[in-house]
């Protein structure tokens, strides 16, 4: 007898551990496909990536809980999460933009429910603003001003130390936004390289895979999987879950791209040394009418993911200098990807 699962905003209402495991594996496969892995990954590979991602999320929660304790709070906040990735300015800027627009959508929805404004007026942009100016600062202009995207401030920025803030100019971009724009262009360039030879159906599938998320309609299961209630007693709000969903996608993407580089270097060594791929390359150059079909691309294996994780955990010379450049084994904390 087939069991039908009823879906809710938090995912299927009837879902056991096996169902969640299956959906999580499919989600990781989709993220890997978007990141450049076109071959079908094995269960061992997806299982290793899942364990690494879970380890990273738990480490984030542990560090956020420690930071909240220093502030004298028992609950973690979005600032605690963003503080962990503060050195990646492009990623921080993307998160701030996301939170800003999320707040705008919330304000528009609240004003629409209360009847104080119309979402169409806000979407009208310059027309709504012009109407407010011509009308002498009427309700449309007030609503547009109220629903303007506000900049999310961070407590460790210098500007937050002062009560008076310098007014922002519309034609001025800060360095964080410039880095975010550069990172966005690089992601778009990589996506174009991966999709330029795809057919229409393949591109549609690739676009659907881009929507893969650990948290979308899986909030309850994700909190159990991440260790909320065990690692930390804090009850996360929607913003924290959304930020963790964004960071988990970034972790899978970074691991996959690094593992593909490891596999490419390994294949290059095999070709140059006349390994197992030499006959395949020779057959490719001397392909005849009755030659067998060429072998497909092999997927990345757990050893590639393990080597990619080792490279991403590698410390710089700054850490070695603190140990007097010794190569002795020492216990180092987990480095966030």
């Amino acid at each position: 007898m087939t069991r039908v699962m009823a879906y809710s905003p938090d995912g299927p209402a009837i879902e056991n551990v096996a169902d969640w495991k299956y959906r999580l594996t499919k989600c990781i496969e989709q993220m890997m496909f978007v990141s450049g892995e076109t071959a079908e990954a094995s269960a061992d590979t997806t299982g290793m990536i899942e364990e690494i991602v879970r380890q990273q999320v738990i480490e984030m929660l542990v560090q956020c809980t420690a930071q909240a304790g220093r502030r004298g709070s028992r609950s973690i906040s979005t600032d605690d999460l963003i503080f962990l990735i503060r050195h990646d300015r492009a990623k921080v800027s993307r998160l701030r933009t996301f939170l800003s627009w999320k707040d705008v959508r919330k304000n528009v929805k609240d004003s629409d429910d209360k009847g104080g404004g119309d979402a169409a007026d806000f979407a009208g942009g310059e027309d709504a603003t012009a109407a407010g100016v011509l009308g002498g600062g009427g309700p449309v202009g007030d609503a547009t001003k109220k629903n303007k995207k506000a900049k999310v401030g961070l407590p460790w920025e210098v500007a937050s130390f002062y009560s008076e803030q310098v007014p922002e100019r519309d034609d001025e971009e800060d360095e964080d936004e410039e880095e975010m724009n550069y990172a966005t262009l690089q992601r778009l360039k990589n996506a174009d390289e991966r999709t330029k030879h795809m057919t229409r159906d393949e591109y549609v599938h690739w676009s659907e895979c881009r929507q893969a998320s650990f948290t979308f309609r899986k909030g309850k299961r994700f909190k159990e999987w991440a260790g909320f209630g065990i690692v930390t007693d804090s009850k996360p709000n929607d913003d924290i879950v959304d930020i963790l969903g964004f960071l988990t996608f970034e972790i899978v993407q970074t691991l996959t791209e690094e593992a593909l580089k490891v596999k490419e270097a390994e294949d290059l060594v095999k070709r140059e040394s006349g390994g197992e791929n030499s006959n395949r390359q020779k057959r490719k150059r001397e392909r005849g009418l009755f030659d067998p079909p060429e072998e497909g691309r092999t997927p990345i294996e757990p050893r590639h993911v393990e080597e990619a994780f080792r490279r991403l955990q590698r410390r710089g010379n700054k850490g070695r200098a603190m140990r007097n450049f010794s190569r002795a084994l020492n216990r180092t904390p987990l480095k966030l990807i």
Side-chain angles (χ1 to χ4, degrees):
M1 179 178 180
T2 304
R3 178 163 55 88
V4 180
M5 293 185 292
Y7 282 85
S8 67
D10 245 2
I14 305 174
E15 183 182 42
N16 53 27
V17 178
D19 295 331
W20 160 251
K21 187 74 174 178
Y22 174 78
R23 292 209 304 160
L24 196 62
T25 301
K26 288 299 179 183
C27 183
I28 293 175
E29 290 178 353
Q30 291 175 345
M31 293 180 180
M32 294 176 65
F33 177 66
V34 172
S35 304
E37 175 55 282
T38 56
E40 185 177 355
S42 64
D44 295 337
T45 303
T46 56
M48 178 174 289
I49 291 179
E50 176 194 346
E51 189 59 32
I52 291 175
V53 173
R54 186 169 183 267
Q55 200 176 38
Q56 292 278 308
V57 172
I58 291 176
E59 181 66 20
M60 291 182 201
L61 295 180
V62 170
Q63 294 188 22
C64 287
T65 304
Q67 291 173 10
R70 297 187 192 102
R71 291 188 288 106
S73 175
R74 296 184 59 184
S75 59
I76 62 178
S77 64
T78 56
D79 292 340
D80 295 326
L81 270 176
I82 299 177
F83 183 77
L84 300 180
I85 59 170
R86 64 192 181 279
H87 300 299
D88 193 339
R89 299 168 67 179
K91 195 174 295 184
V92 170
S93 184
R94 288 175 62 192
L95 280 177
R96 294 172 69 173
T97 304
F98 165 74
L99 293 175
S100 298
W101 283 113
K102 186 176 181 180
D103 186 62
V104 168
R105 288 193 296 267
K106 181 181 178 181
N107 291 336
V108 171
K109 184 178 179 181
D110 292 343
S111 61
D112 194 19
D113 293 340
K114 294 177 181 179
D118 191 359
D121 294 335
F122 175 74
E126 297 178 356
D127 297 336
T129 307
V133 172
L134 294 176
V140 177
D142 295 339
T144 306
K145 184 177 180 181
K146 178 181 178 181
N147 292 327
K148 185 179 179 181
K149 181 170 74 74
K151 186 176 180 180
V152 177
L154 299 175
W156 56 86
E157 292 182 333
V158 178
S160 65
F161 300 161
Y162 303 95
S163 58
E164 296 294 334
Q165 301 295 328
V166 178
E168 297 182 6
R169 290 167 42 186
D170 296 337
D171 58 345
E172 184 180 11
E173 287 190 0
D174 57 6
E175 297 180 359
D176 293 345
E177 289 186 355
E178 292 179 358
E179 289 195 16
M180 181 189 69
N181 294 335
Y182 176 76
T184 301
L185 290 176
Q186 289 296 117
R187 289 199 312 273
L188 292 175
K189 180 180 178 181
N190 295 335
D192 183 64
E193 289 293 328
R194 293 164 185 162
T195 59
K196 64 181 180 181
H197 297 300
M198 288 185 179
T199 62
R200 179 179 178 180
D201 295 337
E202 290 174 344
Y203 184 77
V204 169
H205 175 65
W206 187 84
S207 301
E208 293 174 353
C209 290
R210 289 185 69 184
Q211 309 301 322
S213 173
F214 279 80
T215 58
F216 182 66
R217 291 184 176 177
K218 312 180 189 75
K220 185 177 179 181
R221 281 293 183 183
F222 176 79
K223 294 173 187 176
E224 297 176 358
W225 175 80
F228 282 99
I230 300 176
V231 180
T232 177
D233 296 331
S234 173
K235 292 184 179 180
N237 54 31
D238 294 338
D239 289 342
I240 291 178
V241 175
D242 290 338
I243 291 176
L244 286 175
F246 165 77
L247 294 177
T248 49
F249 187 95
E250 293 287 326
I251 293 171
V252 175
Q253 187 176 40
T254 305
L255 273 174
T256 304
E257 291 174 350
E258 193 67 29
L260 287 172
K261 293 178 183 178
V262 173
K263 181 178 180 299
E264 184 179 355
E266 182 183 87
D267 294 342
L268 180 62
V269 171
K270 288 182 179 180
R271 286 195 299 267
E272 292 178 350
S273 61
E276 59 184 10
N277 292 333
S278 60
N279 295 331
R280 186 194 310 173
Q281 296 297 324
K282 183 177 180 180
R283 185 185 300 122
K284 184 176 181 180
R285 292 192 299 269
E286 302 174 358
R287 185 167 177 78
L289 179 62
F290 299 101
D291 283 338
E294 294 183 89
E295 299 180 17
R297 175 181 171 181
T298 57
I300 58 177
E301 299 180 7
R303 67 174 186 273
H304 302 136
V305 178
E306 187 176 356
E307 173 61 20
F309 181 71
R310 188 193 67 81
R311 292 183 180 183
L312 293 172
Q313 291 293 310
R314 187 164 44 194
R315 304 284 171 171
N317 291 330
K318 182 179 179 180
R320 290 186 56 205
M322 299 298 293
R323 302 191 302 270
N324 198 19
F325 293 95
S326 64
R327 294 185 178 274
L329 295 177
N330 63 321
R331 186 177 180 85
T332 56
L334 182 66
K335 182 180 178 182
L336 297 179
I337 300 176

